[in-house]
Amino acid sequence: MGSLVLILRALPAGAAAAAHAGSNIVAVRVWPAEAYTRVTLESDRSLAATHFLVEAPDRLVIDVDGLELSPNLRGLLGKVKADDPFIAGVRVGQNTPRVVRIVLDLKQPVAPQIFTLAPVAAYQHRLVFDLYPKVAVDPLLALIKDKVQAEQEAAQSVQDALGDLIAKLDKPSLNAQTSAKPGASSASAPQAQNTPAPAPTLPVAAPSEPSQAKLDRLIVIALDPGHGGEDPGAIGPSGLREKDVVLAIAQQLRDRLNRNPNMRVLLTREGDYFVPLQQRVQKARRVQADLFVSIHADAFFTPKARGASVFALSDGAASSQAAKWMASRENAADLVGGVNAAVKDASVLKAMLDMSTTAQIKDSLKLGSEVLGQIGRVGTLHKRRVEQAGFAVLKAPDVPSILVETAFISNPEEEAQLRDTDYQSKLVEALATGIARYFAKNPPLARHRALS
């Protein structure tokens, strides 16, 4: 059995005294996902915590200072779902008069990140536990294996359908034989009718690691549903949340694009959890994406604002004040969603976000123009040209990237459209068509995709 002890932070004397006065937990939230699980304790005062890992079995022990057990904290026990990939169970107890101990029983070894967030937007002080897997899944390998599995399933479906067809075609012959006249000799019946021919077997590829040739031909598209988890994004007049509707659209678009056997889609988030802007860009680059499409449904000062927009990166000033405002709003997502500043390498991040290239922006404008033209066939456009601004999520230097504002969720009519499944389907088809038209005019270059 081994353990690792880490001290989260030391509070100044005044803050420590305030903490010992007793903090009140106002909310407990759990965000499970395959990528990582986040647990958030929201309180009226800043919390300090220490933690350590215990093996055999794996557990994460967190001691939170300045707390007493409360119904909200006990409610953490009921928020963990059985299908959580990381947490098997939770135990909470009063370790000392001023310290609450939280024990997370783990399903797999984790690399935890525990940090605090200052009040922002609707949130008070937050203490965050992010549970990442010790060994992360290679996203490109996962896409390739998904493609191979889909090909095998498709081949098996064809084989099954052909077998059923042959069986049906053979039935009339058997019926004709049994309905022959009573005096007829059985020898007069053709031999083939006595022993039906077996259905031909179609070759099905044996499960194996995909060949390098398959990797070279694969087109990878990164779809980025905005916001998620702690960050709901914009909220419509009737309560529709941006994070929910853009995830639904992205999932439908993924399924639509994956119908192409030479194409695979990576979602930067598969469910309701938060992904920092920097990680969204990194995910696209890690799978060597050919395109990056970020999907949003923003709000504006007035509910009268309406129409879809498409944005590309700007290497200078924004193309309009509205575009500048949009970029500023979207770039603030990390503050609301909650990023662990301690693990950021500021110099690396700055370099990555400053590496925008003229070629990337040129290709992004081509992609944006095709997508905008198709969206205009479905609904109203806010602007009839692709706008540009300094969106952080579009700054992958080698991946054509656009941000699509599907509608203004703050407009009651457009919020109703976004909620409508038929409208979502039309929007998805427009996005897919725009992407296809871009590739038809700009074939993707041959690329050697190396699995890491």
Side-chain angles (χ1 to χ4, degrees), residues 396-420:
D398 48 358
V399 184
S401 305
I402 60 171
L403 185 146
V404 179
E405 292 286 0
T406 54
F408 280 97
I409 201 170
S410 52
N411 182 298
E413 293 180 5
E414 295 200 340
E415 181 196 26
Q417 283 184 323
L418 289 171
R419 195 188 295 274
D420 182 68

Side-chain angles (χ1 to χ4, degrees), residues 33-240:
E34 291 294 332
Y36 77 107
T37 286
R38 168 170 289 192
V39 179
T40 302
L41 303 183
E42 185 178 358
S43 64
D44 59 352
R45 297 178 184 177
S46 181
L47 297 171
T50 60
H51 73 278
F52 58 93
L53 289 166
V54 181
E55 298 174 349
D58 292 310
R59 285 157 287 163
L60 174 62
V61 182
I62 305 146
D63 288 334
V64 186
D65 191 30
L67 272 187
E68 294 182 0
L69 279 178
S70 65
N72 280 343
L73 196 52
R74 290 183 185 277
L76 178 60
L77 296 168
K79 291 183 179 291
V80 174
K81 298 180 180 179
D83 60 352
D84 189 301
F86 298 95
I87 303 176
V90 182
R91 289 170 282 152
V92 182
Q94 194 76 48
N95 193 40
T96 70
R98 290 289 183 179
V99 176
V100 166
R101 171 162 289 186
I102 301 172
V103 179
L104 302 180
D105 297 314
L106 304 172
K107 293 181 178 179
Q108 61 174 293
V110 300
Q113 295 180 17
I114 301 184
F115 55 97
T116 57
L117 297 169
V120 64
Y123 294 118
Q124 299 187 50
H125 297 273
R126 284 176 287 173
L127 176 63
V128 178
F129 318 143
D130 283 349
L131 309 181
Y132 288 92
K134 258 193 172 181
V135 180
V137 176
D138 187 306
L140 180 55
L141 181 59
L143 286 178
I144 301 302
K145 287 183 175 179
D146 176 70
K147 179 180 183 294
V148 171
Q149 181 180 354
E151 290 172 347
Q152 293 172 356
E153 291 175 351
Q156 186 63 54
S157 296
V158 172
Q159 180 176 316
D160 293 343
L162 187 55
D164 292 342
L165 178 61
I166 290 176
K168 290 179 180 178
L169 291 175
D170 191 59
K171 282 183 179 180
S173 299
L174 293 176
N175 292 337
Q177 179 182 356
T178 57
S179 61
K181 294 181 179 180
S185 170
S186 60
S188 62
Q191 183 66 27
Q193 292 184 1
N194 292 332
T195 56
T201 301
L202 296 180
V204 178
S208 63
E209 291 299 320
S211 67
Q212 189 60 53
K214 287 185 178 180
L215 299 183
D216 290 341
R217 292 197 301 270
L218 188 66
I219 297 174
V220 177
I221 297 176
L223 297 181
D224 174 47
H227 309 281
E230 297 282 285
D231 176 21
I235 300 177
S238 72
L240 183 63

Side-chain angles (χ1 to χ4, degrees), residues 247-265:
L247 178 60
I249 292 170
Q251 289 171 333
Q252 293 175 53
L253 181 56
R254 173 199 58 194
D255 296 342
R256 170 66 176 80
L257 294 173
N258 277 347
R259 294 179 195 169
N260 185 323
N262 294 322
M263 188 176 291
R264 273 299 171 269
V265 173

Side-chain angles (χ1 to χ4, degrees), residues 280-293:
R280 296 170 190 258
V281 178
Q282 288 174 339
K283 286 186 174 188
R285 299 192 73 202
R286 191 173 180 198
V287 298
Q288 304 161 50
D290 297 287
L291 293 181
F292 179 92
V293 180

Side-chain angles (χ1 to χ4, degrees), residues 152-406:
Q152 293 172 356
E153 291 175 351
Q156 186 63 54
S157 296
V158 172
Q159 180 176 316
D160 293 343
L162 187 55
D164 292 342
L165 178 61
I166 290 176
K168 290 179 180 178
L169 291 175
D170 191 59
K171 282 183 179 180
S173 299
L174 293 176
N175 292 337
Q177 179 182 356
T178 57
S179 61
K181 294 181 179 180
S185 170
S186 60
S188 62
Q191 183 66 27
Q193 292 184 1
N194 292 332
T195 56
T201 301
L202 296 180
V204 178
S208 63
E209 291 299 320
S211 67
Q212 189 60 53
K214 287 185 178 180
L215 299 183
D216 290 341
R217 292 197 301 270
L218 188 66
I219 297 174
V220 177
I221 297 176
L223 297 181
D224 174 47
H227 309 281
E230 297 282 285
D231 176 21
I235 300 177
S238 72
L240 183 63
R241 300 180 300 187
E242 179 181 6
K243 68 173 183 177
D244 297 328
V245 70
V246 298
L247 178 60
I249 292 170
Q251 289 171 333
Q252 293 175 53
L253 181 56
R254 173 199 58 194
D255 296 342
R256 170 66 176 80
L257 294 173
N258 277 347
R259 294 179 195 169
N260 185 323
N262 294 322
M263 188 176 291
R264 273 299 171 269
V265 173
L266 167 81
L267 291 185
T268 58
R269 68 177 178 98
E270 298 274 356
D272 187 13
Y273 55 94
F274 179 73
V275 179
L277 299 176
Q278 176 190 3
Q279 287 187 22
R280 296 170 190 258
V281 178
Q282 288 174 339
K283 286 186 174 188
R285 299 192 73 202
R286 191 173 180 198
V287 298
Q288 304 161 50
D290 297 287
L291 293 181
F292 179 92
V293 180
S294 192
I295 303 174
H296 292 258
D298 216 337
F300 204 62
F301 297 114
T302 169
K304 293 182 180 180
R306 63 185 299 120
S309 304
V310 176
F311 297 87
L313 184 65
S314 169
D315 58 357
S319 56
S320 69
Q321 285 300 313
K324 181 179 180 181
W325 183 86
M326 288 280 196
S328 177
R329 180 184 178 92
E330 297 297 353
N331 291 347
D334 278 358
L335 296 176
V336 180
V339 174
N340 184 7
V343 299
K344 275 190 175 181
D345 186 327
S347 60
V348 173
L349 177 60
K350 185 178 188 303
M352 186 187 74
L353 297 184
D354 285 347
M355 284 193 303
S356 57
T357 65
T358 302
Q360 187 261 25
I361 293 176
K362 182 179 179 181
D363 288 339
S364 299
L365 289 170
K366 291 179 182 177
L367 170 62
S369 179
E370 295 293 349
V371 169
L372 189 67
Q374 296 303 313
I375 293 177
R377 298 172 179 268
V378 175
T380 304
L381 292 179
H382 185 67
K383 294 279 188 177
R384 294 194 171 274
R385 63 184 179 91
V386 179
E387 295 220 76
Q388 293 178 260
F391 290 89
V393 79
L394 300 182
K395 293 189 176 182
D398 48 358
V399 184
S401 305
I402 60 171
L403 185 146
V404 179
E405 292 286 0
T406 54

